[in-house]
Amino acid sequence: AQRVTQPEKLLSVFKGAPVELKCNYSYSGSPELFWYVQYSRQRLQLLLRHISRESIKGFTADLNKGETSFHLKKPFAQEEDSAMYYCALKSGGFKTIFGAGTRLFVKA
Amino acid sequence: ETGVTQSPTHLIKTRGQQVTLRCSSQSGHNTVSWYQQALGQGPQFIFQYYREEENGRGNFPPRFSGLQFPNYSSELNVNALELDDSALYLCASSSGADTYEQYFGPGTRLTVT
């Protein structure tokens, strides 16, 4: 079955600390993985995708096919990073499967 | 460039009733996907419309149906509402059926009593 698992509902870190939001997936085939973010009172928006291998707002995510993981990392968290983060998997070309989300809270 | 809009913002329905939710896609986009987001959960894919045809469907019963119009706006219809249909309904538009980047609307909050 195709599935995305985000084991942490809430992650709280201090400003300046490293942050890692975990994501594991289950998919038979070559996965296309994404991270979406939803800031307070804003719409859900794409943060990054694994194919582009880019850093957005200081965040990076590496696809590890052996561990079926796609963890989101940032070396130094900022208060403005506080948001809801969703890991997602694109399946069959049209369907996006989302995890349950992790709320990141960056404390001053 | 106009973003994705959805209407209404909120509505309350009674079990057994029918509801229609609307979505206007972003300018230049021909694909609309609908999602249901229950409280505390991530969005769940309902179906996708591409150039007025249903292009794919998630694990939702037939009482969830949709339409896409020539201007690429879309409707989600839900018949015989159940209490578990209470959720935030999101639509997202993109410039192609398999284009990775989709733009989300603000959602419609449906409460079924």
Side-chain angles (χ1 to χ4, degrees), chain B residues 20-49:
Chain B
T20 297
L21 310 182
R22 295 178 176 83
C23 172
S24 289
S25 57
Q26 186 160 307
S27 176
H29 287 182
N30 58 17
T31 304
V32 172
S33 300
W34 285 93
Y35 295 86
Q36 181 194 66
Q37 186 172 20
L39 204 58
Q41 300 296 319
Q44 261 199 294
F45 177 79
I46 303 175
F47 43 54
Q48 182 187 80
Y49 277 82

Side-chain angles (χ1 to χ4, degrees), chain B residues 63-92:
Chain B
R63 59 189 186 84
F64 285 78
S65 63
L67 278 175
Q68 189 178 33
F69 301 99
N71 67 355
Y72 302 129
S73 66
S74 177
E75 284 182 357
L76 164 66
N77 299 291
V78 187
N79 292 324
L81 283 166
E82 301 177 0
L83 297 179
D84 284 351
D85 296 333
S86 295
L88 181 68
Y89 288 84
L90 297 168
C91 79

Side-chain angles (χ1 to χ4, degrees), chain A residues 52-106:
Chain A
S52 55
R53 301 184 65 82
E54 58 196 343
S55 172
I56 304 289
K57 299 184 179 183
F59 284 98
T60 57
D62 288 319
L63 176 61
N64 185 324
K65 290 187 179 180
E67 295 182 358
T68 59
S69 68
F70 186 55
H71 303 328
L72 183 68
K73 299 177 186 178
K74 184 169 182 177
F76 307 104
Q78 302 299 313
E79 287 179 77
E80 56 265 29
D81 296 328
S82 294
M84 196 73 188
Y85 291 82
Y86 294 96
C87 181
L89 166 70
K90 199 157 176 70
S91 164
F94 59 86
K95 178 179 177 179
T96 303
I97 299 167
F98 285 84
T102 298
R103 181 165 297 283
L104 174 64
F105 180 55
V106 181

Side-chain angles (χ1 to χ4, degrees), chain A residues 9 32 34 36 38 43-46 49 86 90 93-101, chain B residues 4 35 37 40-43 45 48 55-57 97-102 104-106:
Chain A
K9 279 205 168 304
E32 193 173 355
F34 306 86
Y36 283 80
Q38 187 166 25
R43 303 175 184 203
L44 191 59
Q45 59 185 286
L46 180 67
R49 58 192 290 240
Y86 294 96
K90 199 157 176 70
F94 59 86
K95 178 179 177 179
T96 303
I97 299 167
F98 285 84
Chain B
V4 178
Y35 295 86
Q37 186 172 20
Q41 300 296 319
F45 177 79
Q48 182 187 80
N55 187 48
R57 191 176 184 93
D98 58 355
T99 304
Y100 72 90
E101 185 146 20
Q102 45 188 343
F104 282 84

